[in-house]
Amino acid sequence: MTSQLEAGAQAPAAAAHRQRAARHRPPANGPAGRLKMRLLQAATVVGFLALWELFARTPTAAKADMPGALESLGRLGELLLTGKYWAALGSTTGSWAVALTASIVMGVPAGLAIGRSRKVFDSTKWSIDFLRTIPSVAFIPLALLLMGRTQAMVIVVAVIPAVWPLVIQAIYAGQQADPMLGRVARSFRLTLADRIRYVLAPDVLAFIWPGLRLATTAALLVTVSAELIGGSRGIGSEIMNAQIYNRSATLYAWVLTACFLGLLINAVLAVLQRKLLWWHPSLRGKQR
């Protein structure tokens, strides 16, 4: 009995000690936590490059004429000094940017209009579910026949997979919109610009942002694929040319270029997300 009483008396003290330790413990998402995460990410990249270099020295890779990581990165450094490299990178980036912008302009208003009307949603649900399951690369031969090996062909094909995530998320935004916010805005006699900036945009952006992340990745993937299959100028056509002329190191250098471009775009989106959605609970917890 005495030991139980002593344990009960010591329990509040132990709980208070744990609380003090938790207050003084550095947060996982603080400067030390972020530094640790960056070091782990860098170590992962270095480990991947080391495995790539080791595998390139095996007999299997030698038969396939697979270059190592050092050789591919060295060839990438050589390409960085040429105007041809930046012209191809600019062409791919331009096609991707135009396709993504067109997808936003078309997909977001259409999705909001569908989500606001129950009848329109019921009448279009089956068509949307059917059309968005069609692989976008299946449209490349048709686009080649209609538009030829042009940048317009690449843009049109890249819009197809990018528009559907935006439409779907905009539909959810239209369905989940709180009508009370509109009434409050009207009661305060806000202007149309203020309603869009302070009421509609924050409410809609939280739903649309995941669709934008998916649309960004899909547009970039299909842009490179359309250039590779269709032969339009860009990273994809350079990959195809390197494969045709059996320039393995050049091929992997262009593949790394596409990877780095995707990482750069994702980093920019992450920064924009912290700036535009700073008020969201999921981000407020990370900023403490």
Side-chain angles (χ1 to χ4, degrees):
M1 178 66 69
T2 304
S3 60
Q4 292 179 355
L5 291 175
E6 292 177 352
Q10 294 174 357
H17 177 72
R18 287 194 297 267
Q19 290 178 358
R20 287 194 298 269
R23 284 197 299 268
H24 293 287
R25 188 185 301 122
N29 52 5
R34 287 193 294 267
L35 177 61
K36 183 178 179 181
M37 181 180 298
R38 295 293 182 269
L39 292 176
L40 288 175
Q41 292 174 346
T44 302
V45 173
V46 172
F48 172 76
L49 293 177
L51 290 175
W52 179 5
E53 187 68 27
L54 291 175
F55 180 76
R57 300 176 186 273
T58 61
T60 302
K63 290 181 181 179
D65 194 22
M66 178 180 177
L70 297 178
E71 183 181 358
S72 300
L73 291 173
R75 180 54 182 157
L76 177 59
E78 296 174 358
L79 289 175
L80 288 172
L81 302 177
T82 63
K84 180 181 179 181
Y85 176 87
W86 295 106
L89 180 61
S91 179
T92 298
T93 306
S95 300
W96 164 82
V98 173
L100 182 63
T101 303
S103 302
I104 295 172
V105 172
M106 293 187 297
V108 174
L112 290 175
I114 294 173
R116 289 299 184 106
S117 175
R118 183 65 184 181
K119 292 182 180 179
V120 176
F121 172 75
D122 292 336
S123 61
T124 58
K125 180 180 179 181
W126 185 87
S127 300
I128 293 175
D129 289 340
F130 172 75
L131 292 174
R132 69 190 182 94
T133 57
I134 300 177
S136 56
V137 293
F139 293 97
I140 295 179
L142 178 60
L144 280 172
L145 289 175
L146 296 177
M147 290 173 283
R149 299 167 57 181
T150 60
Q151 190 175 18
M153 179 272 299
V154 176
I155 293 173
V156 170
V157 175
V159 166
I160 296 173
V163 73
W164 295 119
L166 293 167
V167 170
I168 298 301
Q169 291 300 121
I171 289 175
Y172 292 151
Q175 291 175 340
Q176 301 295 328
D178 189 357
M180 182 62 67
L181 295 177
R183 299 192 189 100
V184 172
R186 286 191 297 270
S187 66
F188 280 95
R189 298 182 180 180
L190 297 180
T191 62
L192 179 60
D194 289 338
R195 290 183 187 180
I196 294 175
R197 180 179 179 182
Y198 297 109
V199 179
L200 182 61
D203 191 28
V204 171
L205 192 60
F207 285 94
I208 293 179
W209 196 262
L212 180 62
R213 298 291 294 266
L214 293 174
T216 300
T217 303
L220 182 61
L221 289 174
V222 177
T223 296
V224 176
S225 300
E227 292 171 347
L228 192 151
I229 298 175
S232 179
R233 185 181 62 178
I235 295 176
S237 63
E238 295 298 333
I239 293 175
M240 178 58 68
N241 292 334
Q243 184 179 9
I244 291 175
Y245 293 105
N246 196 25
R247 299 171 180 170
S248 300
T250 303
L251 186 150
Y252 278 86
W254 285 109
V255 171
L256 288 174
T257 299
C259 296
F260 292 148
L261 179 59
L263 291 175
L264 176 61
I265 292 172
N266 185 70
V268 172
L269 287 177
V271 173
L272 289 176
Q273 182 177 354
R274 289 194 295 268
K275 297 293 184 181
L276 297 176
L277 296 175
W278 58 268
W279 50 268
H280 199 271
S282 62
L283 293 179
R284 281 190 300 177
K286 295 180 180 180
Q287 294 176 355
R288 292 177 182 174

